[in-house]
Amino acid sequence: MSFLDRWLAVWILLAMGLGLALGRFVPGLNTMLDSLSIGGISVPIAVGLLVMMYPVLAKVRYDETHRVTGDRKLLILSLVLNWVVGPAFMFILAWVFLPDLPEFRTGLIIVGLARCIAMVFIWNHMACGDREAAAVLVAINSVFQLVAYGALGWFYLQALPSWLGLETTSAEFSLGAIVVSVLVFLGIPLLAGFLTRTYGEKAKGRAWYEDTFLPKIGPWSLYGLLFTIVLLFAMQGEAITSQPWDVARIAVPLLIYFVAMFLISFLVSKALGLNYAKSSSVAFTASGNNFELAIAVAIGTFGITSGQALAGVVGPLIEVPVLVGLVYVALWLGRRLFPNDPTVPVPTTQKVTS
């Protein structure tokens, strides 16, 4: 492992701390960063995410995705976890932990509906998951996000609470914001990765592409991740540090959600006979969330100073360190639950001594 990879958890924590400090102590920084938006999309964050995702998507062997699209067990499991289990679980957690705080509760439900289409590639890559499976599952989730996000928002904010005798929330989600989010945060890097792989192999061959080109662009994925984290926390550093109790109230159900969704997805995948790599892809796809979309929807619907927006902001505050931790959990579980599985990554020390 490179020096950057070996100490990644430390770099991420430092990036979070730097972002919070900048947001807290640099006057007007969050306002300036917020102003750098086009169509509700933050340009600096978009740049960071695109730099982060491109090297990972350039590694995908697109000519091998057919083995994923033909795996019905994998696809159905992922769809159920993402669009049935995930939103329902977040709805339950929001009502259990925030029954007296309707704005935060609504914000959490909005987060639960936004399935991950960006950072999941990083967590999957770090855990040595199946790259082709992750690409296909994220693409499918993106299609479902376009057609199901608004309907599920109505169901969990109005229909289901009404049936249960609970307080309802009126909200109309912008289809345009959802479409833009999918096109920018998945469409652009996916197309770039596909074209790079296709024409790179055609011009120089697969051996050159994977042994020479990919190692050169690989580190940029982590640079983009750290840059994005600094920006995210800088934009909301003041709001987060000035409302620590509110952040704590929101953080508890989020922490439970990320850990439980990951473990449930990972163990169910294993029980259904998927190998380690595919189980990891299913688990990270199901446990991550599209924080950019959730924040954009919350701000567009309820306003930038709303409790719903704060809940969306707290999402990545909890998700980033927790998902990094779950990468190590996945690697640890893989070596114990998947004996003799060739897709389980071998520790560096074992590679050296064998």
Side-chain angles (χ1 to χ4, degrees):
M1 295 178 69
S2 68
F3 179 74
L4 183 63
D5 290 330
R6 187 177 299 112
W7 297 98
L8 180 59
V10 175
W11 308 140
I12 287 176
L13 291 174
L14 290 175
M16 292 169 60
L18 175 61
L20 288 173
L22 289 173
R24 180 67 178 179
F25 299 112
V26 178
L29 178 62
N30 59 336
T31 302
M32 186 270 289
L33 291 173
D34 284 337
S35 68
L36 300 176
S37 300
I38 299 176
I41 297 295
S42 169
V43 174
I45 288 181
V47 171
L49 287 174
L50 294 179
V51 171
M52 176 190 78
M53 293 174 64
Y54 167 68
V56 178
L57 288 170
K59 292 181 179 180
V60 174
R61 293 183 175 182
Y62 294 93
D63 58 347
E64 296 182 11
T65 54
H66 62 86
R67 65 178 174 78
V68 180
T69 56
D71 191 337
R72 288 190 175 184
K73 184 189 301 182
L74 173 74
L75 298 181
I76 293 174
L77 174 61
S78 180
L79 287 174
V80 170
L81 289 168
N82 275 283
W83 297 103
V84 179
V85 178
F89 187 39
M90 186 68 89
F91 174 84
I92 293 170
L93 290 173
W95 273 100
V96 168
F97 286 92
L98 302 168
D100 57 328
L101 297 170
E103 290 190 356
F104 295 161
R105 185 177 65 236
T106 299
L108 279 187
I109 293 172
I110 290 174
V111 169
L113 297 178
R115 313 316 298 168
C116 192
I117 63 172
M119 283 195 171
V120 63
F121 289 112
I122 294 296
W123 316 135
N124 184 73
H125 173 67
M126 291 171 61
C128 300
D130 190 311
R131 289 194 296 266
E132 289 70 40
V136 170
L137 295 180
V138 169
I140 292 174
N141 279 336
S142 298
V143 174
F144 267 77
Q145 201 144 250
L146 293 175
V147 300
Y149 193 92
L152 286 175
W154 166 82
F155 178 76
Y156 282 107
L157 295 177
Q158 297 184 46
L160 184 56
S162 177
W163 298 342
L164 298 175
L166 302 172
E167 179 183 355
T168 62
T169 301
S170 178
E172 294 184 5
F173 300 145
S174 168
L175 178 60
I178 300 170
V179 172
V180 170
S181 176
V182 170
L183 291 178
V184 171
F185 298 121
L186 178 64
I188 293 176
L190 185 62
L191 179 62
F194 173 77
L195 292 177
T196 303
R197 163 73 73 170
T198 301
Y199 290 102
E201 287 190 357
K202 185 178 295 186
K204 295 283 190 175
R206 174 161 288 188
W208 172 88
Y209 183 85
E210 296 192 344
D211 297 336
T212 303
F213 177 72
L214 289 181
K216 289 182 178 179
I217 66 171
W220 283 95
S221 182
L222 299 181
Y223 301 152
L225 172 64
L226 296 175
F227 176 74
T228 303
I229 291 171
V230 171
L231 284 178
L232 274 172
F233 286 78
M235 292 175 70
Q236 302 298 335
E238 184 176 358
I240 291 171
T241 55
S242 62
Q243 304 177 64
W245 177 241
D246 290 339
V247 170
R249 288 285 304 271
I250 299 168
V252 172
L254 282 171
L255 175 62
I256 295 172
Y257 174 84
F258 293 131
V259 174
M261 280 298 297
F262 174 83
L263 292 176
I264 291 170
S265 303
F266 193 85
L267 295 176
V268 170
S269 299
K270 200 272 182 185
L272 291 178
L274 299 183
N275 63 19
Y276 167 80
K278 287 185 176 180
S279 296
S280 295
S281 298
V282 169
F284 283 111
T285 304
S287 54
N289 290 91
N290 185 351
F291 58 82
E292 181 66 19
L293 174 60
I295 294 172
V297 168
I299 291 175
T301 306
F302 301 101
I304 193 170
T305 60
S306 65
Q308 291 89 342
L310 178 61
V313 168
V314 176
L317 172 71
I318 306 304
E319 178 177 352
V320 170
V322 171
L323 268 293
V324 170
L326 289 173
V327 167
Y328 295 100
V329 171
L331 294 170
W332 183 82
L333 287 175
R335 292 188 284 270
R336 287 155 180 79
L337 299 182
F338 296 84
N340 304 317
D341 184 337
T343 68
V344 176
V346 179
T348 305
T349 54
Q350 290 187 22
K351 292 181 181 179
V352 173
T353 57
S354 61

